[in-house]
Amino acid sequence: MPAPASASAAQSPVQVFDRRLLRHRRDRAAAGLADYDFLLTEVGERLADRLDDIRRRFPMALDLGCHHGALARCLNGRGGVERLIQTDLSPRMAAAAPSPALAADEEALPFAAGTFDAAFSLLSLHWVNDLPGTLLQLRHALKPDGLLLVAMLGGDTLHELRTALAEAEMDLEGGLSPRVSPFADVRDAGMLLQRAGFALPVVDRETLTVSYADAFRLMRDLRGMAAANAVAERRRGMTRRATLLAAATGYADRFADADGRIPATFEVLYLTAWAPHPEQPRPLRPGSAASRLADALGTEELSAGEKARPG
Amino acid sequence: MSRTVDPKLLEILVCPLTKSALRYDPDRQELVSERARLAYPIRDGIPIMLVDEARPLDEGEVEGEVGAPPDLAGGRNPGVDTGGRP
């Protein structure tokens, strides 16, 4: 049956990530993920904190790319979420998540239009080839004025590992292959939200630094999280042992602290946006203000260019 | 089958390829997309909405009447392009 198989490929023209490999990795990591889920839990808590800041209730919500249900555990009814539908590309991950869960591809969402009050995603959307397509489908799946709240990894993620691997590879193999998956940056993400038709888009970033005994511990964690490189054009087969050893040594030489531990940077982008609705606030035209800011603040207005008097 | 599928979940699901409605087949534990001619399996109460896990429908299984797009009327071969895809 060639037609449907080729259809999913036709939907996303650029295949940066090998989604089949990613699914396989997530299937394999599902059973043991609880031992490696510190990053999911940490960022999940931060995502839930952001939801607490929004004075609205979201009874019907989606968690796209749910892993083993990390966000469901962090949310636990916060944000007025009564029902959290969870999906993962890996059927085994979906089975490990608390019900209701299903297996779905982030690039081909199986939801009727206008279903959700909110759509969340925790550390999954950086694996999507067609992020604009996914955002567009998410907007359709949201009710008008529905909330999109996403945490995904950004471009500074694992920059130490990237540097160490690149240097070792140049030295020992005389060439480079993409060893660490590429990520979006703040500007890309904001633009994509706007292009997908979301209103009031906001993107901000946070950097988490995790300390490791050595580079091998870090790489073991990445595998445990199913976060190892899934770039389609990666060099096939195992990285040469000598290259890995050189990379680990280089990582320590360059980045280790006084105790010999190495830092690993995770840059997290938080995307917040709303499905459009006619009654949403929008910026007024410049000069259309009806009252003065100085009056509201009970202060004296100073003309531009004048220095404020030290109070 | 230790878990059964949540009926409320079925209400919000559509075919990921065509975004058209699905028919629930409780005997086979499948969600059938007539338009894409695919049946998505439900395993242990978990709908598997992945195109490469779906079972292609046999010719006889496609119910050509209500809700079928007009381009299916002439196409008797289940292997042909399904049309209606985004």
Side-chain angles (χ1 to χ4, degrees):
Chain A
M1 184 77 187
S6 61
S8 63
Q11 278 178 339
S12 37
V14 186
Q15 298 292 319
V16 177
F17 299 112
D18 184 337
R19 303 274 300 168
R20 196 174 281 268
L21 176 73
L22 178 67
R23 183 182 144 193
H24 181 64
R25 290 234 173 100
R26 278 171 104 120
D27 270 341
R28 237 179 5 190
L33 184 63
D35 295 335
Y36 296 98
D37 62 358
F38 67 94
L39 192 65
L40 286 168
T41 306
E42 178 67 37
V43 180
E45 281 297 329
R46 290 167 190 235
L47 202 71
D49 285 346
R50 279 156 196 264
L51 190 62
D52 287 343
D53 292 340
I54 300 171
R55 290 167 178 277
R56 279 266 294 272
R57 297 178 62 78
F58 305 96
M60 179 70 174
L62 168 70
D63 177 12
L64 190 63
C66 64
H67 297 90
H68 61 341
L71 187 63
R73 279 184 282 274
C74 294
L75 284 178
N76 197 19
R78 287 156 81 179
V81 175
E82 289 162 21
R83 206 169 150 70
L84 185 68
I85 309 291
Q86 302 163 92
T87 74
D88 201 277
L89 179 62
S90 148
R92 280 200 210 163
M93 281 286 186
S99 181
L102 58 129
D105 189 337
E106 289 89 349
E107 299 184 356
L109 300 187
F111 299 110
T115 297
F116 298 106
D117 299 302
F120 310 118
S121 183
L122 175 61
L123 299 183
S124 280
L125 289 193
H126 48 267
W127 292 116
V128 165
N129 285 308
D130 181 17
L131 189 54
T134 297
L135 291 174
L136 198 71
Q137 293 181 59
L138 280 170
R139 180 167 71 72
H140 284 295
L142 283 169
K143 294 175 186 167
D145 211 22
L147 169 70
L148 177 76
L149 184 55
V150 171
M152 59 189 273
L153 293 176
D156 271 352
T157 299
L158 298 174
H159 71 86
E160 303 94 344
L161 181 62
R162 244 180 260 243
T163 307
L165 279 170
E167 280 182 354
E169 211 168 16
M170 285 297 278
D171 287 350
L172 294 174
E173 298 181 24
L176 281 178
S177 74
R179 295 243 175 245
V180 178
S181 303
F183 302 101
D185 68 18
V186 171
R187 251 192 323 176
D188 297 339
M191 214 168 59
L192 290 178
L193 285 172
Q194 239 157 4
R195 224 187 281 166
F198 279 100
L200 311 168
V202 177
V203 182
D204 63 296
R205 56 184 288 271
E206 259 180 353
T207 302
L208 305 177
T209 307
V210 184
S211 165
Y212 282 97
D214 55 54
F216 293 108
R217 287 291 177 88
L218 165 62
M219 288 189 256
R220 197 188 60 187
D221 262 19
L222 293 176
R223 272 194 300 276
M225 292 188 258
N229 185 15
V231 176
E233 295 304 314
R234 73 202 178 279
R235 199 175 289 187
R236 304 288 162 151
M238 296 290 283
T239 307
R240 279 167 45 183
R241 178 129 191 98
T243 309
L244 279 183
L245 279 171
T249 311
Y251 200 134
D253 289 349
R254 210 181 232 268
F255 301 106
D257 62 15
D259 299 328
R261 292 183 68 84
I262 56 158
T265 298
F266 293 90
E267 184 195 31
V268 184
L269 304 183
Y270 296 91
L271 285 59
T272 313
W274 300 82
H277 185 274
E279 280 169 36
Q280 259 159 359
R282 54 196 70 218
L284 296 172
R285 279 184 303 115
S288 64
S291 54
R292 286 152 38 109
L293 180 63
D295 293 342
L297 295 173
T299 181
E300 196 183 322
E301 190 171 349
L302 300 174
S303 66
E306 228 172 282
K307 277 189 184 156
R309 282 165 299 191
Chain B
M1 293 287 161
S2 51
R3 293 161 86 176
T4 52
V5 68
D6 183 337
K8 280 193 183 158
L9 195 54
L10 299 183
E11 287 170 17
I12 60 169
L13 291 181
V14 297
C15 171
L17 269 188
T18 61
K19 312 288 188 202
S20 54
L22 297 165
R23 179 168 54 79
Y24 176 44
D25 182 338
D27 296 331
R28 300 186 77 148
Q29 284 296 301
E30 282 179 342
L31 291 167
V32 178
S33 170
E34 309 278 355
R35 194 181 286 190
R37 301 184 175 208
L38 290 172
Y40 300 93
I42 300 172
R43 294 190 198 127
D44 269 351
I46 296 179
I48 311 293
M49 305 307 292
L50 301 171
V51 172
D52 52 7
E53 293 280 313
R55 179 179 67 83
L57 293 186
D58 299 329
E59 192 169 340
E61 287 182 87
V62 181
E63 293 169 9
E65 70 299 315
V66 192
D71 59 301
L72 280 185
R76 290 279 79 115
N77 176 7
V80 295
D81 188 281
T82 51
R85 248 191 274 122

